[in-house]
Amino acid sequence: MTNWENVISDKELITAKNKRKNIYIEDKQRKIALHELEEEGWEYVKDYADPKFVKIRKEKPYDEQFEDKVWLLFYQMGFTYLNKDRNFKMTYDFQNPNFTQQIDVFAADEETVLIVECKSAESMKDGVFKKEIEALHGQIDGLRKTALKQFPGRKVKFIWATHNYIMSSKDIQRMQEWDIVFFGDSTIQYYCELTKHLGTCARYQLLGNLLANTEIKNMQNKVPAIKGTMGKHEYYEFSIEPEKLLKIGYVLHRNEANKNMMPTYQRIIKKKRLREVQSFINEGGYFPNSLIISIDTKGRGVQFDQSPTKVEESLSKLGVLHLPKRYHSAYIIDGQHRLYGYSDTDYANTNTIPVVAFVDLERSEQLKLFMDINENQKAVSKTLRVTLNSDMLWDSPDYNDRREALRSKIAQMCGEEPTSPLLGRIVIGEDEKNPTKCITIEAIQQALKRSHFFTTYGKNNIIVSDGSFDLGENKATLDVFYPFLEECLRHVKTNCECEWMAGEQGILTINRGIQAVIRVIDDIVLHLLSQSKISPKTQNLQTLIDEVEYYIEPLADYINSLDEVQRKELKGFLGGGADNKFWRSFQKAIAVAREDFKPEGLHEYIENETKQYNAESREYLTVIEGCIKEIIADALETYYGENWIIKGLPKNIYKTAKKMADDKNYELLSNDEDAEIDTWDCITLADCREIVIYSHNWSEIFESIVTRPEDVTLSNKEQKTEWMSMMSKEINKISKTTYSVPKKTFELISSIYDWLVVDK
């Protein structure tokens, strides 16, 4: 029988909440037994008035703490009925009412019942729950009937919540087929953060997700409105009580909870900003500017009852707009802080806010509108902008842009998919970095870009190089490549478990380590393709993995065998060359064990290790010189106009460069070739330094442009431009075959390259 007395409400919830918030189990025991109790894990807290007794405690098991976390989430969201403790059981077979199932978390409000199964591990591990999920599936109908008998008219949803588990793809598929909602760590954390900021109004976001397109009962949905046309879109302008819009509104926050609704675009609500808005409203403040929303009608359109009152020659129409009476039916494109700022205030039902509503805007169109509105707002983080732009480029007419979007999507999936070995290890959106979540999405994108998995294109989308996994269309390529990458990473994780879990303390699950792993997987694929052993575009995944794993195994052996001195040496490398050092070291480890593995450039790298920094230094210096020349030329032209090359250059430098250009052009013309050399082409990096400190160029134009961040505190322009002189000298030195670039010099070159090129 279902013990409904265990489901509580009102004041009893407060008592249960206090127990759930406490991470300790507390007890009163005889003082004489304290020593034995301490050996069992209990700790002394205090004496009681009766000297025979003491108060003791011990931390709750991790699985109970996780259940408490989920329970408290729904309590804070404002669910009015919850199970008191872990002893709640529900009947799932009416023929045999004694057949019951223990329920970890039960939550109900006026419209919804949530039944939650919680699974947790002490540390991150693979989870396979085939039997448990099948068992829940077999009980769902009975549990739903039992819940509706006690709470009639509600919508019943089943949630599978996990902590520290990497789910199997088959389990995820089972839950999708059986309408069991999966909540992983990132989803739960999202709702916890949202609840901290929004309080009980966060429940609308949850219900919008769980009950999308289901009816909201007893909602007054008619509003006076003006219908107009803007661009190619019709829109409606009206005023509405915030509470009503909160019920039907949904914010497409860019996070795990909404990953199935891509593209998403909103930043997570900031608590500080929300409090500022709430204080402003409570003090009588208001926002005259309109919220921007898109009403989702699934193509059916909205009902607009036009008023008989008309204004001659006006394109706008007066009338009454019928809003959908459904959760998740209005996407908030702009103004989420203003809207949620009204939550938990006295004005949620007594004020109205202005709204401009479009109808059935494509998600990509919403994204573009959001980007346009926020174009000059610094609050949109760099990582968020990268991922937003990638969504915008998914169907770009430029096929290289499409591949950029594909790489970004894969990088996000590595950090967000519940089956990914890198789940929770990648900083995405506005996540905060920590010792284990320390891989950037940009690092994975860069590794994929340097690999040969995807096709590259030239002008007019002509194929330059065919990608090893590229099927010509993003979605098809993603479906083939991502499971392969995930399996390769899982093999490395399984065979290097300790190193994998070390995060930034180790060499593997950091930017350089993961980049090197991805790039060496690419090398293995290229090697196997050259031997006609694999066919990635058509081959069965397991067959492909079997071939690749033979070459990954020596890499795992190498990583596991590194001693502390070798680790320190590998991680001590700085600048742009660090990526190359990791990659070549991983290649070399495989090549030593698998003699047939000979990736391009590895032999030369090993041969020239005494000059290991020369090639990259030469490449970086060429880019540095070209980049700084372009920056200086653009700045001079902007400041001086058409005759910038004369007005902005010292006379001696101009004359020398012009003479050099004339001499080169003379030789070209003498050989019946076109004269294509201009004066600026003959400016050197050493000349650039003289140009930027010449006359008032420094104070008027260049001081803020060419001063490195670490040189800002230096006292004069000579010191602040010394790096140019040093780079010029290195260009001259590296042209000599006997010269080997010192490590410290290479690190300086790399840091300048990063500043001028990578970080711009």
Side-chain angles (χ1 to χ4, degrees):
M1 296 291 290
T2 303
N3 55 332
W4 285 116
E5 67 276 7
N6 192 281
V7 174
I8 57 177
S9 61
D10 300 326
K11 292 181 179 179
E12 288 183 276
L13 281 176
I14 298 174
T15 302
K17 176 208 54 170
N18 292 334
K19 288 184 178 180
R20 297 271 189 174
K21 284 180 69 176
N22 191 348
I23 66 169
Y24 294 100
I25 302 168
E26 297 179 341
D27 199 6
K28 180 180 180 181
Q29 289 286 342
R30 289 185 172 275
K31 193 171 187 177
I32 195 171
L34 182 59
H35 180 69
E36 290 81 0
L37 291 166
E38 287 177 335
E39 289 182 345
E40 294 173 8
W42 293 88
E43 62 178 88
Y44 166 81
V45 178
K46 69 174 184 178
D47 291 318
Y48 283 103
D50 185 339
K52 295 178 182 178
F53 294 94
V54 291
K55 184 176 183 179
I56 59 173
R57 71 180 186 183
K58 67 178 177 180
E59 192 168 329
K60 293 176 182 175
Y62 61 84
D63 58 335
E64 185 174 354
Q65 289 190 45
F66 178 59
E67 289 177 20
D68 288 346
K69 180 177 182 178
V70 176
W71 190 96
L72 287 165
L73 170 62
F74 295 128
Y75 170 83
Q76 289 158 355
M77 281 186 168
F79 282 86
T80 48
Y81 295 90
L82 290 110
N83 57 311
K84 181 172 64 175
D85 52 37
R86 307 179 87 187
N87 299 316
F88 178 53
K89 297 179 180 180
M90 290 180 65
T91 297
Y92 60 85
D93 187 338
F94 282 88
Q95 300 299 319
N96 299 283
N98 290 324
F99 285 12
T100 60
Q101 173 62 42
Q102 184 269 336
I103 304 299
D104 293 330
V105 179
F106 179 93
D109 63 8
E110 293 179 354
E111 297 192 37
T112 320
V113 170
L114 305 181
I115 297 173
V116 188
E117 178 73 15
C118 296
K119 300 291 182 184
S120 63
E122 196 165 7
S123 59
M124 188 67 75
K125 62 187 292 187
D126 294 326
V128 179
F129 298 105
K130 179 177 182 293
K131 292 182 180 179
E132 293 92 335
I133 294 172
E134 287 177 344
L136 176 60
H137 176 237
Q139 297 169 356
I140 279 178
D141 288 342
L143 292 173
R144 179 179 283 110
K145 289 177 182 177
T146 298
L148 290 175
K149 189 174 181 180
Q150 185 74 13
F151 295 94
R154 268 76 161 182
K155 300 288 191 299
V156 182
K157 300 297 290 186
F158 293 85
I159 297 174
W160 187 273
T162 67
H163 172 56
N164 275 341
Y165 276 115
I166 297 171
M167 297 291 290
S168 75
S169 57
K170 290 183 179 179
D171 283 346
I172 295 293
Q173 186 177 351
R174 289 186 187 96
M175 287 189 282
Q176 290 172 344
E177 290 175 357
W178 296 333
D179 196 27
I180 300 170
V181 182
F182 172 66
F183 276 18
D185 281 313
S186 54
T187 303
I188 293 169
Q189 191 58 36
Y190 162 66
Y191 284 120
C192 286
E193 288 297 315
L194 200 65
T195 304
K196 285 180 186 177
H197 300 177
L198 302 183
T200 58
C201 280
R203 188 164 88 259
Y204 296 129
Q205 189 81 355
L206 172 71
L207 297 181
N209 198 337
L210 297 178
L211 305 175
N213 301 312
T214 58
E215 183 181 357
I216 302 172
K217 296 179 180 179
N218 304 317
M219 176 184 168
Q220 171 53 257
N221 68 323
K222 297 178 183 178
V223 292
I226 299 173
K227 179 180 180 181
T229 303
M230 188 183 303
K232 298 179 181 179
H233 302 285
E234 287 186 342
Y235 72 93
Y236 298 87
E237 189 163 6
F238 55 87
S239 293
I240 189 172
E241 297 87 344
E243 183 72 18
K244 288 184 180 178
L245 188 55
L246 282 165
K247 286 186 177 181
I248 66 171
Y250 196 83
V251 182
L252 285 163
H253 290 132
R254 195 170 187 85
N255 56 69
E256 167 73 10
N258 296 319
K259 68 184 180 67
N260 293 325
M261 292 181 280
M262 302 294 279
T264 54
Y265 48 85
Q266 289 278 16
R267 297 150 290 176
I268 192 71
I269 292 173
K270 294 295 185 183
K271 190 171 187 177
K272 180 176 181 295
R273 173 64 176 149
L274 191 69
R275 284 178 174 173
E276 291 171 351
V277 173
Q278 287 175 331
S279 296
F280 177 71
I281 292 170
N282 281 326
E283 291 169 4
Y286 59 91
F287 300 96
N289 48 327
S290 299
L291 275 72
I292 312 296
I293 71 171
S294 176
I295 300 172
D296 181 18
T297 73
K298 308 298 180 186
R300 294 187 291 267
V302 293
Q303 180 179 341
F304 181 70
D305 302 332
Q306 190 169 322
S307 169
T309 303
K310 298 180 180 180
V311 179
E312 295 298 329
E313 299 182 1
S314 174
L315 296 176
S316 299
K317 309 297 181 186
L318 300 174
V320 175
L321 177 67
H322 295 243
L323 295 170
K325 298 171 66 174
R326 294 180 287 107
Y327 289 107
H328 202 307
S329 58
Y331 294 118
I332 312 300
I333 298 173
D334 185 61
Q336 61 166 335
H337 283 95
R338 277 172 277 151
L339 174 60
Y340 282 109
Y342 277 94
S343 62
D344 297 329
T345 72
D346 297 332
Y347 301 99
N349 286 309
T350 59
N351 272 14
T352 59
I353 50 177
V355 177
V356 171
F358 296 91
V359 178
D360 290 330
L361 277 185
E362 292 289 336
R363 200 72 55 77
S364 58
E365 189 71 25
Q366 295 178 39
L367 193 157
K368 290 176 183 177
L369 184 55
F370 171 82
M371 291 288 280
D372 288 342
I373 292 169
N374 291 279
E375 185 62 34
N376 297 312
Q377 293 188 16
K378 293 181 180 179
V380 182
S381 68
K382 178 183 176 182
T383 300
L384 183 55
R385 282 192 175 278
V386 168
T387 53
L388 292 180
N389 281 326
S390 295
D391 283 336
M392 293 177 70
L393 297 174
W394 188 261
D395 295 313
S396 169
D398 185 320
Y399 287 4
N400 281 325
D401 286 347
R402 291 190 185 188
R403 295 314 180 272
E404 181 184 336
L406 176 61
R407 291 190 294 269
S408 177
K409 177 66 173 175
I410 291 165
Q412 291 173 65
M413 290 176 70
C414 283
E416 294 178 342
E417 284 297 299
T419 56
S420 171
L422 288 172
L423 176 66
R425 311 300 290 275
I426 299 172
V427 180
I428 297 175
E430 295 182 300
D431 290 350
E432 290 191 8
K433 181 181 176 183
N434 61 48
T436 54
K437 181 183 283 190
C438 54
I439 301 169
T440 66
I441 194 170
E442 292 89 349
I444 294 181
Q445 285 176 303
Q446 191 64 27
L448 293 171
K449 189 172 185 177
R450 290 177 173 178
S451 301
H452 303 80
F453 301 123
F454 313 120
T455 301
T456 58
Y457 297 87
K459 290 183 178 180
N460 301 317
N461 292 329
I462 302 299
I463 293 178
V464 173
S465 63
D466 186 39
S468 55
F469 281 80
D470 203 310
L471 295 174
E473 193 269 330
N474 272 2
K475 181 63 168 62
T477 304
L478 178 70
D479 290 345
V480 171
F481 176 73
Y482 178 75
F484 166 76
L485 178 63
E486 194 176 85
E487 284 302 312
C488 289
L489 294 175
R490 182 172 290 109
H491 184 84
V492 177
K493 173 184 179 290
T494 301
N495 290 280
C496 306
E497 189 75 33
C498 291
E499 192 64 43
W500 191 271
M501 300 308 297
E504 65 182 14
Q505 299 301 315
I507 63 162
L508 193 51
T509 47
I510 58 176
N511 283 341
R512 287 165 285 174
I514 287 299
Q515 281 185 314
V517 169
I518 292 172
R519 293 182 69 186
V520 88
I521 290 169
D522 175 55
D523 293 323
I524 294 169
V525 169
L526 292 177
H527 170 65
L528 291 170
L529 278 170
S530 70
Q531 296 187 330
S532 301
K533 289 187 175 180
I534 60 171
S535 180
K537 298 180 184 181
T538 58
Q539 203 164 23
N540 172 270
L541 175 60
Q542 191 54 54
T543 304
L544 182 60
I545 290 296
D546 289 342
E547 292 286 349
V548 172
E549 283 182 348
Y550 174 73
Y551 293 90
I552 294 179
E553 286 170 1
L555 174 61
D557 293 339
Y558 164 75
I559 291 169
N560 292 331
S561 67
L562 288 173
D563 59 33
E564 287 307 311
V565 174
Q566 292 169 316
R567 291 167 187 273
K568 189 174 180 180
E569 181 184 352
L570 199 57
K571 288 190 72 175
F573 225 80
L574 303 175
D579 298 343
N580 194 58
K581 178 69 173 178
F582 269 70
W583 175 47
R584 291 299 190 186
S585 297
F586 286 11
Q587 282 182 329
K588 185 178 177 181
I590 298 171
V592 168
R594 306 286 188 251
E595 293 182 1
D596 61 319
F597 181 68
K598 300 175 182 178
E600 183 179 351
L602 178 60
H603 177 71
E604 291 79 5
Y605 174 80
I606 295 172
E607 267 192 347
N608 298 310
E609 275 193 303
T610 55
K611 298 179 182 178
Q612 58 186 307
Y613 312 116
N614 283 33
E616 284 189 87
S617 293
R618 189 177 292 108
E619 177 184 340
Y620 286 178
L621 286 167
T622 300
V623 175
I624 288 169
E625 184 174 37
C627 184
I628 197 63
K629 283 182 65 175
E630 183 179 348
I631 290 170
I632 292 171
D634 289 345
L636 289 174
E637 186 173 7
T638 300
Y639 186 84
Y640 289 111
E642 185 177 352
N643 294 320
W644 62 272
I645 201 164
I646 295 175
K647 294 180 179 179
L649 272 61
K651 187 175 182 179
N652 63 319
I653 290 178
Y654 173 80
K655 287 176 65 177
T656 301
K658 188 174 187 308
K659 184 178 185 306
M660 190 180 298
D662 289 341
D663 290 343
K664 289 183 178 181
N665 285 325
Y666 180 85
E667 290 181 21
L668 290 170
L669 291 169
S670 298
N671 294 315
D672 295 324
E673 296 178 43
D674 292 334
E676 299 178 340
I677 309 299
D678 63 29
T679 302
W680 190 252
D681 291 334
C682 298
I683 294 295
T684 66
L685 190 53
D687 295 333
C688 288
R689 187 189 185 214
E690 297 303 314
I691 292 167
V692 299
I693 64 176
Y694 169 64
S695 185
H696 56 270
N697 282 358
W698 177 254
S699 59
E700 294 290 332
I701 308 173
F702 291 113
E703 182 171 10
S704 62
I705 297 176
V706 301
T707 301
R708 297 192 304 153
E710 54 266 59
D711 294 339
V712 169
T713 57
L714 296 179
S715 58
N716 56 55
K717 59 187 178 182
E718 284 76 21
Q719 292 176 337
K720 291 179 178 179
T721 56
E722 177 62 21
W723 67 268
M724 289 190 195
S725 178
M726 295 174 67
M727 294 302 99
S728 177
K729 290 175 182 176
E730 286 303 310
I731 289 172
N732 294 331
K733 289 178 183 178
I734 209 167
S735 63
K736 300 174 183 177
T737 56
T738 57
Y739 179 68
S740 180
V741 179
K743 178 180 177 181
K744 287 186 177 180
T745 302
F746 175 66
E747 289 173 351
L748 174 63
I749 294 170
S750 297
S751 70
I752 292 171
Y753 175 86
D754 290 346
W755 167 57
L756 279 176
V757 181
V758 177
D759 295 334
K760 294 296 184 184

